[in-house]
Amino acid sequence: MDSKKEKKSGLPEWMGNLPCPPDKKRPCFLKGDNIKEMIYGKGNKPITITVLADTYRFYFSEYSIKPGSWFEPPDIHEGDEVYYCLSGEATMYDPVHGETI
């Protein structure tokens, strides 16, 4: 699959299909050739992202965010998301429900 291809929705082809498409789900190791690394955000508040899995039910990634930074633009994933803050304090805003956590 060409990671530079985009779906009709404008999203990269790998989104929702990492490490494998929903119709070809199988146990597998999450390793270098399956991992997507990118920079997200605008201006001087970049967020470094390493995506290990992105399926219709599950999203697993590592984010490095500078203090005082935020997601711009905000993003929403189909699958469940779990967050662990390894240092500092995080404030999350859920645009769907209007809740701040």
Side-chain angles (χ1 to χ4, degrees):
M1 183 179 339
D2 183 1
S3 63
K4 294 184 181 179
K5 288 175 106 177
E6 292 193 0
K7 298 177 185 180
K8 290 180 184 178
S9 65
L11 298 173
E13 185 70 32
W14 60 266
M15 291 187 84
N17 294 296
L18 187 68
C20 49
D23 60 338
K24 296 182 181 175
K25 286 178 24 175
R26 59 178 171 58
C28 65
F29 288 105
L30 300 176
K31 53 186 181 176
D33 56 345
N34 293 11
I35 295 171
K36 301 294 178 192
E37 294 181 325
M38 65 196 88
I39 302 293
Y40 185 81
K42 294 181 179 177
N44 65 348
K45 298 192 184 299
I47 298 169
T48 305
I49 304 171
T50 303
V51 182
L52 300 149
D54 185 351
T55 72
Y56 68 98
R57 295 185 64 193
F58 182 74
Y59 180 77
F60 181 60
S61 63
E62 176 183 309
Y63 288 64
S64 294
I65 304 172
K66 291 180 180 180
S69 294
W70 59 86
F71 287 72
E72 184 65 38
D75 64 339
I76 299 172
H77 302 275
E78 274 190 68
D80 293 336
E81 296 184 41
V82 176
Y83 294 88
Y84 289 94
C85 185
L86 298 179
S87 70
E89 186 174 308
T91 302
M92 303 284 296
Y93 173 69
D94 177 353
V96 173
H97 301 100
E99 298 174 337
T100 300
I101 301 165

